[in-house]
Amino acid sequence: MAGKPKLYYFDGRGKMESIRWLLAAAGVEFEEEFLESREQYENLLQGGSLLFQQVPMVEIDGMKMVQTRAILSYIAAKYSLYGKDLKERALIDMYVGGTDDLMGFILMFPFLSAEDKEKQRAVIVEKATSRYFPVYEKVLRDHGQDFLVGNSFSWADVHLLEAILMVEEKKSDVLSGFPQLQAFKARISSTPTIKKFLQPGSQRKPVPDDKYVETVRRVLRMYYDIKAN
């Protein structure tokens, strides 16, 4: 019997959070090793575990996988969250790609100065409400199903819910003009595995704080300032 997947990353969201979400949605238990020192990171490098000298890294099925998109694609396919055919898989990839673009505006938010955070908050809300959420609103309306692709729960649904909640942390009423997305959020949040992941005490990480930022900077030796988009 294969062991639980093991995740190597910081004790915070970053690029690993979507992997946590997808494993949780699939009902898969996983272990985590948090990077807290430069020495831990260098040990992974010297041991050859980090193919491109980057985390996230996930040990799963005898592999040490890097590159977030590759990890997510593997998990989605392994646990039947990747559509029923090639066309559905293409749609899932397309919707996940768009959601990734939106998340990209949020990923580096914790590393910005206070002034740049306010600018970036406005950018995030503007991009979400004018470019991304209208697309998913229309997809859900035109598709007429409970899910983004086909008639079953997929990676695309998990990823979109994660993005919605992230944007709501920047503006709580951001879905006010999107009734389809409001219903989608309620529906997907009620999926048993997702509902469990959203409960206190789960492995879902909170909004990144100063401790997380300091740890990442120290371990990765980030001595430069991040600029807003």
Side-chain angles (χ1 to χ4, degrees):
M1 182 176 178
K4 297 177 183 178
K6 187 170 183 179
L7 283 49
Y8 294 79
Y9 201 67
F10 306 99
D11 187 8
R13 290 183 182 176
K15 291 189 174 183
M16 186 65 88
E17 190 69 355
S18 292
I19 297 169
R20 297 183 185 107
W21 267 86
L22 195 56
L23 285 169
V28 178
E29 295 183 357
F30 56 90
E31 300 175 348
E32 301 190 72
E33 180 170 316
F34 299 127
L35 301 181
E36 298 176 343
S37 69
R38 180 69 185 183
E39 181 181 11
Q40 284 177 285
Y41 178 66
E42 290 181 346
N43 285 341
L44 291 175
L45 289 174
Q46 292 165 8
S49 296
L50 305 183
L51 192 62
F52 299 106
Q53 302 179 28
Q54 296 172 317
V55 288
M57 191 267 282
V58 175
E59 287 186 345
I60 184 171
D61 294 342
M63 298 183 291
K64 292 183 177 180
M65 294 195 70
V66 296
Q67 292 297 322
T68 307
R69 187 59 182 261
I71 297 167
L72 287 166
S73 296
Y74 181 81
I75 294 167
K78 179 178 173 68
Y79 295 106
S80 302
L81 294 170
Y82 214 170
K84 71 177 187 298
D85 55 30
L86 192 60
K87 182 177 179 180
E88 287 194 0
R89 182 169 293 197
L91 289 172
I92 290 168
D93 282 338
M94 187 166 63
Y95 297 151
V96 166
T99 311
D100 265 342
D101 291 344
L102 174 57
M103 287 179 172
F105 291 102
I106 305 173
L107 186 63
M108 299 311 296
F109 186 86
F111 298 88
L112 300 175
S113 67
E115 179 181 356
D116 279 346
K117 281 182 178 178
E118 289 311 305
K119 295 177 182 177
Q120 189 70 354
R121 188 187 309 274
V123 168
I124 292 165
V125 172
E126 192 278 327
K127 295 294 185 185
T129 55
S130 68
R131 181 184 295 183
Y132 297 101
F133 287 173
V135 170
Y136 298 113
E137 181 79 4
K138 184 177 187 300
V139 167
L140 288 165
R141 183 174 62 249
D142 293 350
H143 185 46
Q145 301 288 331
D146 287 345
F147 309 102
L148 282 171
V149 178
N151 58 4
S152 61
F153 183 53
S154 78
W155 174 20
D157 301 308
V158 180
H159 216 52
L160 179 55
L161 178 61
E162 181 189 0
I164 287 171
L165 297 183
M166 289 170 72
V167 178
E168 284 186 329
E169 290 170 349
K170 304 295 180 264
K171 190 175 189 294
S172 60
D173 64 347
V174 72
L175 290 186
S176 60
F178 301 98
Q180 294 288 338
L181 285 177
Q182 290 176 40
F184 172 86
K185 174 192 167 186
R187 191 164 57 244
I188 302 303
S189 296
S190 297
T191 302
T193 54
I194 296 292
K195 185 176 182 179
K196 181 179 178 181
F197 189 60
L198 293 174
Q199 295 300 310
S202 79
Q203 287 169 287
R204 184 187 180 207
K205 305 308 176 197
V207 176
D209 58 13
D210 290 343
K211 180 181 178 182
Y212 166 76
V213 170
E214 191 277 329
T215 301
V216 173
R217 286 186 179 276
R218 184 181 68 254
V219 173
L220 299 183
R221 293 182 176 169
M222 293 171 57
Y223 300 126
Y224 53 89
D225 291 329
I226 303 297
K227 298 298 183 182
N229 286 299

